[in-house]
Amino acid sequence: MSDGNGSSNGSGGVQRPVGIDELLERVRANYERIEPQEAYEAALAGDALLVDIRYAALRERDGLIPGALVVERNELEWRLDPLGSHRLPEATSHALRVVVICNEGYASSLAVQSLHQLGLNRATDLVGGFQAWRVAGLPVV
């Protein structure tokens, strides 16, 4: 029986609302996130595709990670789905290791959940996002 606020007494029906902090915790429990230095080394070795989902104003203000693909968040699934008709040439396989990068590492976690639902199970995101990359002294242009 519902209490009128969207929660359930456990008998089936509607689930209780979840705050964003809890949602992020649940999402992140399903995969291992990656630190900036490890992401940099994986990209250099050709073992990871860095994907920057920050919006244009942030890219213009802070710069770009050399070699990272820029894919706006609202296009991410269409561009990285290996079965999709609008996929990027780099989206060659469900085995592709994708590292999603947002500004601070929050939106990227939710994006990874979506990529996992498409079968891109090696997708992960950058702890601390672009800002952590920059603080680590990694290349930015």
Side-chain angles (χ1 to χ4, degrees):
M1 173 183 262
S2 175
D3 66 4
N5 291 318
S7 60
S8 171
N9 68 0
S11 64
V14 180
Q15 295 180 348
R16 72 171 177 81
V18 176
I20 189 61
D21 293 329
E22 183 178 342
L23 179 61
L24 278 171
E25 187 176 316
R26 288 181 186 183
V27 165
R28 290 172 175 168
N30 293 315
Y31 67 96
E32 189 173 329
R33 301 178 79 209
I34 191 169
E35 296 288 335
Q37 187 64 42
E38 184 182 354
Y40 175 68
E41 291 169 6
L44 280 180
D47 184 42
L49 178 65
L50 305 181
V51 179
D52 186 343
I53 64 169
R54 294 174 301 142
Y55 54 89
L58 290 176
R59 295 190 311 267
E60 290 167 9
R61 182 189 77 190
D62 295 337
L64 299 167
I65 294 171
L69 274 179
V70 173
V71 180
E72 296 270 342
R73 174 62 190 98
N74 64 327
E75 296 181 356
L76 186 68
E77 292 82 358
W78 284 267
R79 300 295 186 216
L80 293 183
D81 178 6
L83 302 177
S85 58
H86 298 290
R87 72 176 180 84
L88 293 169
E90 294 85 354
T92 56
S93 160
H94 284 95
L96 183 64
R97 184 178 185 199
V98 175
V99 178
V100 182
I101 303 166
C102 68
N103 195 48
E104 295 181 343
Y106 297 101
S108 57
S109 295
L110 299 177
V112 166
Q113 178 186 35
S114 183
L115 294 177
H116 284 185
Q117 290 174 328
L118 288 174
L120 292 158
N121 296 321
R122 292 184 70 207
T124 187
D125 71 321
L126 190 66
V127 175
F130 179 87
Q131 297 306 322
W133 178 280
R134 189 168 63 175
V135 167
L138 296 169
V140 174
V141 294

